Amino acid sequence: MTAVGFCGEWFVFTCDKKLVAVHTKQAREPFVFDCSAAEKRPKNTKDDNNSDGGASEETGSDKVLAFTVSPSGKLAALTDDSKRLVLFQSEPSWRCISIRWVVRRCTSLLFSQAEDQLLVADKSGDVYCFSVAEPQREGELKMGHLSMLLAVTTSPDDKYIITADRDEKIRVSHLRSPYNIQSFCLGHQQFVSALLVPPGHPHWLLSGSGDGTVKLWEYESGRKLQSWDLAELEETPSSEGDKHKKPTVCRIASSVDARHVAVLCERVSTVQFFVLDREAEEKLAPHSTLPLPRCPLDVTFDPEGRLWVLMDSGDAPLQVYARRRGSWERDAETPELNRATEAFKPHWETLEACTRAGDRFEHLHKVTFDNVAAYLQKKQQRLEEQRQKRPAAPRANGSKKAKTETPGAATQPST
């Protein structure tokens, strides 16, 4: 997974098997963590719940699957397809705190607001809780869905855990007792791929889906407040070869002050901006569209409210946009961008290889079949074939015609 984020004043990006952190304000040595060189799983470790039922030992390629940073920016975590869960400390300097092991490959990570728990959602639909204070302690099963989990978040007070899965469901559960379900947010027509509780709006939830929509919820009651179809807002169409008509939302990011919300879709060369206003009739309103020269891979806001974009480009993979005079303008030369770009250069080739690997959500789209229409079409074809094969009926002669005309007449004897 290729992704970007901010951990305090550190710009962090993951690419293939590595996590790289660059300080944007000081000329400090970048921190690089290579999963392929990390601690290997002990061979005597039992994994009775692995994805192949224990029939064989599952090996991974050490590629990063997900990463997250804590609300304070002092902690970070990642997980890879070799089932590592790595916990980092970023202040006063970066260091690896612990390496633990998950049961199945993970799809999403999240620190609780109190930063005492690390929540891990996996492809089988389970959420595990790992302690931060006890970094060597094994994870505990927290809750589960019947299908693959794609996103997880919590309410600002850590009262609720909100999970989204492949079956279009958003579940709101009590974090301390997840078997108590508060509500469901239902309305998406495809898998739910992104969740965000925007800062300053503790009772609202933003969700994005493979159906190409962004929805605003009052999650505690499960009530949908608004829905926007991104295909109707996009000024730039998706790239050629995309077999899905609807763009897939892959990231929803918010500035620290929640004044701006950026929505990113796979293989779409624009970023759609929204504004949130509690008092307005349209609480979620589209603001502007930022056209980009190439398709972005990920976006994030820095502490100053600027938008950092990771591009599918070998020439300028990183771009920074600042809001000036009511529009988003590119900052071509900044010290922060120069430091991050220099640290990123050795990984450009790896980035290009990752972009050729395909879309992250491509295999999750559900294909619908119109069986009735196909049946009627085949039936019509069979009837036509039968008519063509049927021989023509012979012409009736006069005696037979007369006989058929008086089928009930009796035979008269000759005199």
Side-chain angles (χ1 to χ4, degrees):
M1 184 193 76
T2 303
V4 294
F6 269 87
C7 197
E9 294 182 342
W10 291 87
F11 174 71
V12 185
F13 62 87
T14 60
C15 185
D16 195 43
K17 304 175 183 180
K18 296 180 180 180
L19 177 145
V20 181
V22 184
H23 202 283
T24 58
K25 300 298 183 182
Q26 303 175 12
R28 300 172 64 176
E29 187 72 19
F31 173 78
V32 180
F33 182 85
D34 190 347
C35 292
S36 62
E39 175 187 346
K40 306 296 181 183
R41 187 178 192 129
K43 294 184 178 181
N44 59 352
T45 301
K46 295 183 179 180
D47 187 6
D48 297 331
N49 297 317
N50 59 13
S51 56
D52 58 3
S56 62
E57 184 178 356
E58 183 178 332
T59 59
S61 58
D62 302 321
K63 291 185 178 180
V64 178
L65 298 180
F67 99 101
T68 187
V69 299
S70 65
S72 68
K74 297 180 179 179
L75 299 170
L78 69 78
T79 181
D80 63 11
D81 64 1
S82 294
K83 301 182 182 179
R84 294 184 185 89
L85 177 64
V86 188
L87 180 64
F88 301 98
Q89 172 187 293
S90 62
E91 293 296 342
S93 61
W94 277 81
R95 70 181 182 92
C96 176
I97 297 176
S98 68
I99 296 179
R100 287 174 280 190
W101 309 97
V102 295
V103 176
R104 290 178 177 85
R105 289 173 179 169
C106 303
T107 56
S108 183
L109 299 176
L110 181 76
F111 283 97
S112 63
Q113 296 295 322
E115 301 187 6
D116 58 342
Q117 300 179 43
L118 179 58
L119 302 172
V120 180
D122 64 28
K123 66 178 185 178
S124 66
D126 293 331
V127 176
Y128 284 81
C129 176
F130 288 81
S131 173
V132 174
E134 302 178 58
Q136 304 300 329
R137 184 177 176 181
E138 294 185 0
E140 299 178 357
L141 179 62
K142 198 75 174 177
M143 58 178 291
H145 281 233
L146 295 178
S147 61
M148 178 188 296
L149 285 175
L150 300 176
V152 59
T153 188
T154 60
S155 60
D157 57 0
D158 275 341
K159 182 178 180 180
Y160 299 110
I161 177 173
I162 307 171
T163 48
D165 64 19
R166 185 182 181 180
D167 290 339
E168 306 100 32
K169 297 191 306 297
I170 301 174
R171 185 200 295 182
V172 182
S173 310
H174 290 260
L175 182 59
R176 294 185 179 274
S177 53
Y179 48 83
N180 289 327
I181 299 176
Q182 176 68 23
S183 65
F184 284 97
C185 299
L186 304 177
H188 283 293
Q189 302 301 313
Q190 285 282 357
F191 57 87
V192 182
S193 49
L195 295 175
L196 175 69
V197 177
H201 303 278
H203 303 292
W204 286 357
L205 172 71
L206 289 168
S207 65
S209 167
D211 62 10
T213 65
V214 172
K215 299 184 187 298
L216 177 66
W217 309 86
E218 192 177 71
Y219 62 84
E220 196 167 357
S221 63
R223 184 165 64 97
K224 182 173 65 177
L225 301 178
Q226 265 185 285
S227 178
W228 286 98
D229 189 337
L230 295 176
E232 299 177 356
L233 300 175
E234 295 290 350
E235 297 177 0
T236 303
S238 59
S239 62
E240 295 181 3
D242 189 1
K243 64 182 180 180
H244 306 300
K245 294 182 179 179
K246 297 291 186 179
T248 299
V249 178
C250 57
R251 181 72 181 269
I252 302 176
S254 172
S255 58
V256 177
D257 58 5
R259 294 180 60 185
H260 309 290
V261 174
V263 177
L264 177 67
C265 296
E266 279 192 333
R267 300 302 175 185
V268 176
S269 57
T270 59
V271 175
Q272 180 64 50
F273 288 97
F274 290 85
V275 292
L276 290 169
D277 190 346
R278 188 182 302 275
E279 305 300 330
E281 182 178 354
E282 286 189 347
K283 294 177 172 54
L284 175 68
H287 182 269
S288 59
T289 302
L290 175 64
L292 298 170
R294 300 290 295 272
C295 291
L297 300 176
D298 199 15
V299 298
T300 187
F301 285 94
D302 65 13
E304 299 175 8
R306 295 175 298 183
L307 183 72
W308 290 60
V309 182
L310 179 63
M311 303 289 296
D312 181 9
S313 170
D315 298 328
L318 282 176
Q319 295 184 7
V320 178
Y321 292 85
R323 184 160 180 79
R324 299 187 184 95
R325 297 180 294 275
S327 62
W328 291 89
E329 299 179 0
R330 180 182 174 186
D331 280 346
E333 293 291 336
T334 63
E336 297 90 345
L337 178 60
N338 292 335
R339 290 191 188 96
T341 301
E342 287 299 319
F344 198 63
K345 280 183 178 179
H347 310 282
W348 284 3
E349 294 182 0
T350 306
L351 174 63
E352 293 178 355
C354 291
T355 58
R356 292 193 297 267
D359 295 341
R360 175 186 174 191
F361 300 106
E362 183 177 3
H363 65 288
L364 298 179
H365 285 267
K366 294 183 179 180
V367 181
T368 58
F369 298 94
D370 189 354
N371 295 331
V372 175
Y375 166 76
L376 293 176
Q377 183 180 4
K378 291 181 179 180
K379 181 179 180 180
Q380 186 65 28
Q381 291 176 355
R382 290 196 301 268
L383 292 175
E384 292 293 336
E385 292 173 356
Q386 292 175 3
R387 291 192 186 98
Q388 294 175 3
K389 294 179 180 179
R390 186 180 302 166
R395 294 185 63 181
N397 55 31
S399 61
K400 288 184 177 180
K401 183 178 180 182
K403 186 176 181 180
T404 56
E405 288 177 352
T406 56
T411 304
Q412 300 293 332
S414 59
T415 55

